[in-house]
Amino acid sequence: MRNIKTWIRKRENTLIELISILSWIIIGAIAFFLYFYGQLDLLTLLQVIFSLIVALLPLYLYLLKKRDQTMLISFTSKYLLEKDEAKIDELLGILIAGKWKKLKIDPIEEFFNCLKKISIKSDFEMRRRVAEALPALYKIDLEKSKEIVEILRKDWDNRWKSDNRRRTVESLSYILKEDKEFVKENLQIIDGDEIFTIIAVVEVLDMWRAKINKKEAENLFENLMKEIRMRKYGNDEITTISELWNLLHLIRSNPFQAIDKFEKLKDTSNIYIQICIVRNLKYLCKKFPERILNLMEYFIQKDKHKNVRRPIAKEDSVECLLSLLHDKRFSRKVKEIIWKLINDEDDIIRLATFDKMEKIIDIDDTFGKKILEHIIGRNHHPKLVERAKNLLEREKK
């Protein structure tokens, strides 16, 4: 009996879902039975089925969201408690004193409040990680994530300047369909926005052009061009924004012309255009894998400006590399590029590449652990070394 109760407690949420679904199935079955024996007409049967679907969908979406939220909080709690004995001691004190009964805590609310504090007060690297996590955070709670966007959209660092603003703008493409007005507000240029943030704005507008409304996007782009001229951005910067808008259209309309244009422009003296090319190689990765790898290899060279090399370490660019790591035709070159990224002299490139380290290990365990051991033995960035040690320790368990 005790075993049955334990089994039920462990699967309580699943059982609730199952019972709810079974209830709807039974009601539906009864309706079909009555229709079969002439007790219901076809119209009434269809109304019953439609009502069941309408009623079941919100429940399903609610349970799906709660499952994601529960998973997030469980994962966060496990990680924090395993890493910090002081937190365990504090938690045990609260439990022993019985104070937990008086605490009124919404775990999702507390989690996002913590992220907001990090976004305001923490060091640049932690703020960078929050900005990179925004696409996932949107899925947990869109409204609370928007509060973090509003903070990071104004982020400024003496060393890295508006770099987190760019990351925040990039994340907006993930909620374009859900809240385009909020996206529009945060695409406006604000004082201190560097050209890199404007480039990200244009890429979101291109997504708007392709998936929401072409005319709206074109009007917003025209307003953007007027704004950057009024704010007296440099000639190279203005030329870049115009060129990027055309390149993004070409990627969608004629990929063959786009890859040719990329290769033609790779030696341009305008490094902002080079940056735009590197940022958008990902879109042609599946269609032209060998040519894309050649371009990545070209742009990751040490003599290229760090701002040209950095986009190759971006999440979606590394994803492109990982998608080709499986393929024997390309795996050697992919490993060479990843190795150069993880050994780049620029901190951001190494840190951003490491964000995908667990996936690298999943695909090629030997190569992944070789990178971890190399970082632990030779890397001078303390946070990167700490992350490598923690990940290697987890992999041994």
Side-chain angles (χ1 to χ4, degrees):
M1 188 67 176
R2 182 179 296 175
N3 289 337
I4 294 173
K5 288 181 178 179
T6 302
W7 186 87
I8 291 172
R9 280 200 301 271
K10 286 183 177 179
R11 294 161 177 80
E12 186 174 354
N13 287 338
T14 303
L15 286 172
I16 292 171
E17 292 179 42
L18 186 60
I19 291 169
S20 300
I21 293 169
L22 282 175
S23 299
W24 265 272
I25 292 173
I26 291 168
I27 294 170
I30 292 171
F32 272 108
F33 180 82
L34 293 173
Y35 170 73
F36 184 78
Y37 284 97
Q39 300 302 307
L40 288 179
D41 57 30
L42 180 59
L43 179 61
T44 305
L45 176 65
L46 292 174
Q47 287 175 336
V48 170
I49 294 171
F50 180 75
S51 299
L52 288 173
I53 293 171
V54 170
L56 185 59
L57 186 59
L59 175 65
Y60 174 75
L61 293 174
Y62 170 76
L63 291 172
L64 194 64
K65 182 175 181 181
K66 294 300 288 184
R67 180 183 294 165
D68 286 344
Q69 292 178 335
T70 303
M71 187 181 296
L72 170 70
I73 297 305
S74 300
F75 170 77
T76 306
S77 302
K78 178 178 182 294
Y79 183 82
L80 290 175
L81 292 176
E82 283 182 351
K83 295 295 175 185
D84 194 338
E85 287 189 7
K87 289 185 174 68
I88 298 176
D89 185 60
E90 184 181 346
L91 175 60
L92 291 174
I94 292 171
L95 294 175
I96 292 168
K99 291 181 181 178
W100 65 273
K101 294 178 181 178
K102 300 175 183 177
L103 295 175
K104 295 181 180 179
I105 294 177
D106 178 338
I108 301 300
E109 184 80 31
E110 291 299 317
F111 178 73
F112 276 92
N113 284 342
C114 178
L115 290 180
K116 281 195 286 184
K117 289 176 184 176
I118 290 172
S119 300
I120 295 169
K121 295 181 179 179
S122 192
D123 63 19
F124 173 80
E125 172 58 10
M126 284 303 296
R127 302 197 312 272
R128 179 190 77 82
R129 299 273 281 181
V130 175
E132 294 282 12
L134 279 169
L137 296 175
Y138 293 142
K139 295 179 182 179
I140 304 300
D141 193 306
L142 178 55
E143 292 305 313
K144 289 182 175 59
S145 298
K146 283 158 63 174
E147 295 175 19
I148 297 174
V149 169
E150 289 171 347
I151 295 168
L152 292 175
R153 182 63 185 88
K154 300 179 181 70
D155 187 272
W156 184 263
D157 184 81
N158 289 333
R159 181 182 178 188
W160 303 108
K161 300 183 172 41
S162 67
D163 217 28
N164 279 333
R165 296 186 187 187
R166 170 185 58 78
R167 291 185 176 87
T168 304
V169 169
E170 288 168 355
S171 77
L172 294 172
S173 62
Y174 289 87
I175 57 169
L176 192 50
K177 290 183 179 179
E178 285 77 12
D179 195 337
K180 71 176 189 178
E181 286 306 313
F182 178 78
V183 172
K184 183 179 176 180
E185 289 170 14
N186 285 282
L187 293 181
Q188 303 297 317
I189 299 176
I190 59 177
D191 291 344
D193 279 353
E194 297 174 282
I195 183 63
F196 315 111
T197 303
I198 311 300
I199 287 171
V201 169
V202 174
E203 289 170 351
V204 176
L205 286 178
D206 175 64
M207 195 77 69
W208 196 314
R209 173 171 59 177
K211 296 186 176 181
I212 305 297
N213 186 299
K214 182 180 177 182
K215 189 171 182 180
E216 278 181 0
E218 288 173 346
N219 288 337
L220 290 170
F221 177 75
E222 288 303 317
N223 291 337
L224 179 71
M225 287 299 294
K226 291 175 185 175
E227 180 84 3
I228 62 174
R229 290 191 182 102
M230 184 189 75
R231 287 178 175 264
K232 300 191 184 323
Y233 281 83
N235 290 334
D236 277 356
E237 294 170 324
I238 295 170
T239 300
T240 296
I241 297 305
S242 180
E243 183 71 65
L244 174 60
W245 187 244
N246 295 328
L247 277 173
L248 291 170
H249 174 70
L250 201 58
I251 289 170
R252 298 184 189 282
S253 61
N254 195 325
F256 291 93
Q257 282 187 23
I259 190 70
D260 289 342
K261 191 78 178 284
F262 282 178
E263 291 170 341
K264 182 180 177 182
L265 289 172
K266 72 177 185 177
D267 292 314
T268 177
S269 59
N270 186 337
I271 68 163
Y272 301 129
I273 290 180
Q274 288 186 336
I275 290 167
C276 291
I277 292 171
V278 179
R279 285 175 63 85
N280 291 286
L281 292 176
K282 60 192 176 186
Y283 292 117
L284 302 176
C285 184
K286 291 182 180 179
K287 202 167 189 65
F288 309 105
E290 189 168 3
R291 294 170 77 178
I292 291 300
L293 286 176
N294 288 338
L295 284 167
M296 284 188 172
E297 192 174 46
Y298 175 81
F299 285 118
I300 199 61
Q301 294 177 69
K302 288 184 179 180
D303 63 340
K304 300 301 175 192
H305 194 282
K306 64 183 178 182
N307 289 330
V308 174
R309 302 197 309 273
R310 279 179 186 171
I312 301 177
K314 277 173 53 63
E315 180 181 359
D316 38 19
S317 294
V318 177
E319 282 288 350
C320 162
L321 288 168
L322 296 184
S323 71
L324 300 175
L325 185 56
H326 296 278
D327 196 319
K328 291 181 180 179
R329 294 172 299 167
F330 309 119
S331 61
R332 182 187 61 80
K333 184 170 283 190
V334 169
K335 288 179 183 180
E336 288 174 359
I337 294 171
I338 292 174
W339 190 259
K340 286 179 180 177
L341 290 170
I342 214 71
N343 285 284
D344 198 282
E345 61 186 22
D346 183 71
D347 288 343
I348 286 293
I349 291 175
R350 299 199 309 279
L351 287 162
T353 305
F354 193 86
D355 286 346
K356 286 292 180 181
M357 198 64 240
E358 292 194 49
K359 195 162 184 179
I360 293 172
I361 291 172
D362 287 342
I363 297 171
D364 192 321
D365 182 73
T366 303
F367 178 59
K369 287 179 179 175
K370 178 183 175 183
I371 292 174
L372 292 179
E373 289 166 358
H374 176 78
I375 291 171
I376 293 167
R378 301 187 185 183
N379 204 291
H380 63 272
H381 195 288
K383 282 199 173 181
L384 197 57
V385 172
E386 183 185 357
R387 286 174 191 165
K389 285 180 179 178
N390 290 338
L391 181 52
L392 189 60
E393 191 64 32
R394 291 205 303 274
E395 289 298 316
K396 288 179 180 177
K397 292 179 180 178

